[in-house]
Amino acid sequence: MIKITNLRVGIESKQDLVGLAARRLGISPAMIKSVQIIKKSIDARKKNNICLVYALAVEAEQADRVLAKHAKDKDIAVFDMAEPQAVSYGQDAMHQRPIVVGAGPAGLLAAYMLAKHGYRPLVLERGKSVQARSIDVEAFWAGGQLDPESNVQFGEGGAGTFSDGKLTTRITDPAMREILELLVECGAPTEILYKQKPHVGTDVLKTVVSNLSEKIRALGGAILFETRLDDIVIEQGALRAVCLSSGQRLECSCMIMAVGHSARDTYKMLRAHGVAMQNKNLAIGVRIEHTQDFINRMQYGELAGSPLLDVADYAVTFQDKQSARGAYSFCMCPGGMVVASSSVAGCVVTNGMSLYKRDNYLANSALVVTVDERDFGSEVLAAMDFQERYERAAFVAGGGDYYAPAQSVHSFLCGSEPDLAVSFQSSYRPGVRACDLRQVLPRTVTDTLQRALNYFEQRMPGFAQDALLIGVETRTSAPVRIARDTDNRQSTNVQGIYPAGEGAGYAGGIISAAVDGYNSAVVIMNRFGRRSDS
């Protein structure tokens, strides 16, 4: 097959991909047998000339002759489809089922791989199934009680289930294509295989997660919901058993720890057992909310609203010389909503979420500032305690009923009486209350945010005008890293524990976490032979 890259097409072009490919290759459309999109992106740098940019895989007659004709063209080459990663099985005996703790992206992909290859994993998930969990989350957003075990952070699918469902990542790994194809099998849209910025959305992701869990069961795995890992038994530097919230003790010598970035009680338990860990730099701040129409106009100019263009997003960064800190947008949700995301009573936490169609009239993004040991010290769980301190401050400032403290960007920058004077009603439920965010977040963070917002306004007029800040965003990443060996991916000081995913400090999003879980499963299979009762 032939690969064409950097094929630029005006968004109003009427020519189909077969015609475009034929023209680029200088052959008749009749010679083309098939065209597959490898990648599709939007180039909106010139608002008067917005283009779609394709990479295509083309099956054509006389392909060798066509390739020879374009031998000096850097954008035309042979296309080789990557093959799935081969797995070799080890020789060590596995006497008990491998246990996977956590049913987020890392845990589910690890469990799927183990189940697919006959290892019959047992998944422990402290939260509920995605259907039952959704009911609890909706009740909380409507003003009900927070369930500390069933919320945006805990339950089948992990924290990513109630998000934009972004599948973008900066990592490159041979497993990524296989993982994306698996997600499509489970109900994700086919376009995630080629879009530059693929997303699934919470509504579709719930179905994908449920179907993936069903595949694990069909392959011999098992999933126990509402089953929390409460303790572990370590003997002579090796894992021997796990103790569950049900009171059950299971013998275990091989466990993938994919607990997610909010399992604070699990971090404390591991720390008490001396499992090697270290605190980790992170970022905290707010959610900033705009109308989606403004974001579309900011990015697309006069073409804003074109049905040929996706709803627009943005990414902004600012390096503050005064504080020696970075400020940046994170997890931008076009056509989405700001959601209450606490997993601890008496804390307010925000996150962003959108549905597949991204058709809400508002857009939001985290706007956060880097924090480090200058702010919270060097103790292992200091960053975790730092997160919770400001989540509790936000709870109090919001009125003590999970309303979020908020203020218009205008009042924040002017230092005037906090207000909610914007042209829209915030999407955050149960609601927001006007509050001076400087009384909620560290001064170094709010001062840096102020300078960042002024900078963004200069670069993108209007960004700091009709906009609302909602606090607090603290769960941008795990506050610790569970130390693991580079080669065998085990804990550096407890044999049999395999830290994985975002909660272990080795990923930052759905795909990177899924890849990390996948690779942890592969390492286990490389070490252990399949169980005799498989």
Side-chain angles (χ1 to χ4, degrees):
M1 295 184 75
I2 301 169
K3 182 178 181 179
I4 303 174
T5 56
N6 198 33
L7 181 61
R8 304 175 66 82
V9 183
I11 65 166
E12 296 182 350
S13 172
K14 305 298 183 183
Q15 197 164 22
D16 62 19
L17 290 179
V18 171
L20 290 167
R23 181 177 178 182
R24 181 68 180 85
L25 295 173
I27 60 178
S28 165
M31 294 178 63
I32 293 183
K33 299 177 181 179
S34 68
V35 176
Q36 176 184 341
I37 302 174
I38 304 171
K39 187 175 181 181
K40 178 183 177 182
S41 59
I42 298 172
D43 184 349
R45 289 174 295 179
K46 297 180 179 179
K47 293 179 175 53
N48 61 348
N49 186 28
I50 296 176
C51 295
L52 302 178
V53 184
Y54 289 95
L56 303 175
V58 181
E59 184 182 8
E61 296 177 2
Q62 303 179 32
D64 290 343
R65 183 180 64 81
V66 174
L67 286 166
K69 175 183 175 182
H70 295 281
K72 295 183 179 180
D73 192 328
K74 64 180 177 60
D75 292 326
I76 297 175
V78 174
F79 175 66
D80 294 316
M81 181 68 77
E83 294 295 327
Q85 182 175 345
V87 175
S88 59
Y89 308 122
Q91 300 300 316
D92 288 5
M94 180 176 283
H95 299 293
Q96 305 96 18
R97 299 176 79 166
I99 288 178
V100 177
V101 184
L108 287 177
L109 259 295
Y112 171 78
M113 284 299 291
L114 290 169
K116 179 181 177 182
H117 290 270
Y119 288 78
R120 299 180 61 247
L122 174 62
V123 181
L124 308 177
E125 171 52 56
R126 68 190 297 166
K128 297 180 182 179
S129 69
V130 72
Q131 294 87 355
R133 175 190 183 196
S134 297
I135 294 171
D136 294 337
V137 168
E138 182 58 38
F140 173 54
W141 290 346
Q145 294 296 310
L146 170 70
D147 185 338
E149 299 296 335
S150 180
N151 46 62
V152 167
Q153 307 296 346
F154 298 144
E156 184 180 22
T161 302
F162 293 91
S163 71
D164 186 53
K166 288 182 182 64
L167 303 180
T168 49
T169 179
R170 294 179 180 177
I171 68 168
T172 58
D173 190 286
M176 286 175 55
R177 179 74 184 189
E178 185 178 351
I179 291 171
L180 291 175
E181 289 176 347
L182 173 63
L183 297 181
V184 171
E185 284 181 29
C186 291
T190 306
E191 67 194 32
I192 69 170
L193 298 175
Y194 58 79
K195 274 199 168 183
Q196 181 188 31
K197 297 179 180 180
H199 83 285
V200 180
T202 285
D203 50 344
V204 176
L205 198 54
K206 290 177 183 179
T207 299
V208 172
V209 165
S210 182
N211 288 342
L212 180 53
S213 293
E214 190 54 43
K215 279 182 177 287
I216 292 168
R217 295 187 194 95
L219 291 166
I223 303 175
L224 298 181
F225 294 116
E226 299 181 69
T227 304
R228 186 181 61 247
L229 173 70
D230 277 356
D231 204 359
I232 57 177
V233 178
I234 300 171
E235 296 176 358
Q236 297 179 329
L239 179 67
R240 296 302 181 210
V242 297
C243 302
L244 312 183
S245 56
S246 62
Q248 188 176 9
R249 170 180 162 137
L250 299 177
E251 300 303 308
C252 175
S253 59
C254 179
M255 176 177 67
I256 293 179
M257 290 283 296
V259 296
H261 61 35
S262 294
R264 293 172 175 171
D265 48 2
T266 307
Y267 292 147
K268 291 177 182 177
M269 179 270 289
L270 295 175
R271 175 63 171 159
H273 281 287
V275 176
M277 305 163 64
Q278 62 191 63
N279 76 29
K280 189 167 69 65
N281 296 349
L282 41 87
I284 68 169
V286 295
R287 279 270 153 186
I288 184 168
E289 197 164 36
H290 297 87
T291 64
Q292 183 61 49
D293 180 65
F294 167 73
I295 304 301
N296 289 342
R297 287 184 283 107
M298 180 178 72
Q299 297 291 46
Y300 297 146
E302 294 181 0
L303 289 173
S306 168
L308 301 173
L309 293 170
D310 295 335
V311 291
D313 61 5
Y314 65 83
V316 293
T317 61
F318 171 71
Q319 193 61 42
D320 186 26
K321 294 180 180 178
Q322 286 185 243
S323 65
R325 299 173 189 270
Y328 60 93
S329 59
F330 174 80
C331 187
M332 195 270 158
C333 296
M337 57 284 293
V338 183
V339 295
S341 304
S342 182
S343 57
V344 178
C347 292
V348 163
V349 181
T350 64
N351 194 15
M353 185 186 94
S354 66
L355 305 182
Y356 170 67
K357 290 186 177 180
R358 288 176 164 173
D359 53 2
N360 189 36
Y361 79 104
L362 297 176
N364 71 84
S365 175
L367 198 60
V368 293
V369 174
T370 55
V371 291
D372 52 39
E373 288 189 357
R374 292 175 292 174
D375 306 288
F376 45 72
S378 59
E379 202 278 323
V380 170
L381 299 181
M384 183 187 80
D385 294 338
F386 179 84
Q387 286 176 315
E388 188 165 322
R389 182 188 320 156
Y390 292 100
E391 294 168 7
R392 293 194 180 280
F395 179 79
V396 173
D401 53 4
Y402 296 101
Y403 273 56
Q407 69 179 125
S408 67
V409 173
H410 179 267
S411 68
F412 177 77
L413 293 179
C414 292
S416 58
E417 185 71 18
D419 62 47
L420 306 176
V422 292
S423 67
F424 54 87
Q425 181 176 344
S426 175
S427 61
Y428 180 91
R429 292 187 295 155
V432 297
R433 289 195 174 99
C435 174
D436 183 358
L437 291 171
R438 288 181 175 81
Q439 303 303 312
V440 179
L441 288 163
R443 188 59 182 263
T444 51
V445 170
T446 55
D447 285 353
T448 302
L449 279 176
Q450 178 166 350
R451 289 187 285 270
L453 283 163
N454 284 323
Y455 173 78
F456 298 148
E457 175 65 22
Q458 293 173 4
R459 299 289 300 272
M460 300 172 293
F463 187 87
Q465 295 178 28
D466 188 22
L468 191 67
L469 302 179
I470 306 165
V472 291
E473 173 88 18
T474 52
R475 310 278 180 97
T476 54
S477 65
V480 303
R481 176 169 286 115
I482 305 173
R484 73 184 185 193
D485 184 89
T486 302
D487 296 323
N488 64 31
R489 301 174 77 92
Q490 287 189 90
S491 163
T492 55
N493 69 333
V494 181
Q495 187 176 358
I497 294 179
Y498 293 79
E502 191 163 349
Y506 295 97
I510 292 173
I511 288 297
S512 61
V515 167
D516 202 60
Y518 176 109
N519 287 330
S520 292
V522 169
V523 165
I524 288 171
M525 291 186 287
N526 290 162
R527 176 185 171 190
F528 293 100
R530 286 179 286 187
R531 285 165 46 80
S532 59
D533 59 352
S534 298

